[in-house]
Amino acid sequence: MIKVVYDIKVYRQVLKDIIKKDDVVVELGCHVGNSTRIIKDLSPEGRIISLDNSPESVNAMKSITDEYSSVEFIKADVRLHEILEDVANKIKEIGRCDVLSVDLGGGYHPDTTFKVFFIWSSTLKPRVTIIRNRGLLDFIHSASTDELVKSEMGWLESSGKDGIPPRLKEFKLWSSKIN
């Protein structure tokens, strides 16, 4: 299942609806950790890998990682190959990624948010993905189609095994080493 939302209250409610007590969660765009705390409370027996590139996140997330040993924070740009590879290796050691949470820019940059979702979810293959982005939500509700292509998991199974199309390679993210 892939959930797309915009309102932060709806986002946090969806987290409450989908996260189980032992889930492994990868959180892209944790900022100062307000949602990270919610995720940790929902998954006390699980693991959380939270990433953000903002300077504000460092001290705030340090207090969370000091409090919760099962939360790992990585200050990084999630568009970089080496970051995805590092997290993919951690997930491989753990054995699974249950939830991918993507909260990048809120209402801005739906193209970047989608590319990040597509590449990370195709690699980690989560059970559920939640994306918080107004542009994507607007697109979904404004579009119509005459075809039905649908994935049941938290990633796009219909195209996720095909690799990354050449136009997405500007992220320098994909490599055969990750699968």
Side-chain angles (χ1 to χ4, degrees):
M1 168 183 24
I2 301 165
K3 298 285 245 172
V4 180
V5 302
Y6 173 62
D7 185 284
I8 191 69
K9 291 176 186 170
V10 175
Y11 173 74
R12 291 181 176 153
Q13 182 58 52
V14 171
L15 289 173
K16 292 174 184 174
D17 294 343
I18 62 174
I19 294 179
K20 299 176 183 175
K21 68 178 182 175
D22 64 344
D23 274 348
V24 176
V25 180
V26 175
E27 180 187 25
L28 307 180
C30 63
H31 196 237
V32 296
N34 293 329
S35 294
T36 310
R37 287 186 185 279
I38 292 169
I39 294 167
K40 183 57 200 146
D41 290 343
L42 295 168
S43 182
E45 300 169 21
R47 297 259 318 261
I48 303 169
I49 302 172
S50 298
L51 298 94
D52 203 289
N53 201 31
S54 68
E56 302 88 20
S57 64
V58 176
N59 289 335
M61 290 303 294
K62 180 171 179 356
S63 71
I64 292 173
T65 58
D66 287 347
E67 184 178 346
Y68 301 109
S69 62
S70 61
V71 177
E72 178 180 354
F73 171 68
I74 303 169
K75 183 186 182 308
D77 185 336
V78 298
R79 298 172 296 170
L80 299 176
H81 165 82
E82 54 271 12
I83 303 307
L84 174 58
E85 186 173 26
D86 180 46
V87 173
N89 287 332
K90 291 174 190 295
I91 291 300
K92 191 178 217 177
E93 285 178 26
I94 296 168
R96 69 188 199 281
C97 173
D98 298 301
V99 178
L100 175 64
S101 169
V102 182
D103 185 2
L104 304 174
Y108 304 103
H109 314 294
D111 56 333
T112 300
T113 301
F114 184 80
K115 289 174 192 176
V116 167
F117 151 74
F118 183 81
I119 294 167
W120 280 75
S121 68
S122 296
T123 302
L124 303 181
K125 296 177 176 49
R127 178 189 78 237
V128 180
T129 294
I130 178 171
I131 303 168
R132 189 172 94 85
N133 186 275
R134 189 177 75 195
L136 288 177
L137 188 61
D138 187 14
F139 175 77
I140 289 166
H141 290 294
S142 301
S144 66
T145 182
D146 294 324
E147 299 175 277
L148 179 61
V149 177
K150 185 174 181 178
S151 295
E152 299 296 324
M153 300 298 291
W155 56 287
L156 302 178
E157 305 105 269
S158 65
S159 60
K161 293 181 181 179
D162 296 339
I164 302 304
R167 66 185 162 276
L168 294 180
K169 287 191 176 181
E170 75 270 12
F171 275 11
K172 300 179 185 174
L173 284 169
W174 196 256
S175 111
S176 58
K177 295 187 287 183
I178 293 177
N179 288 329

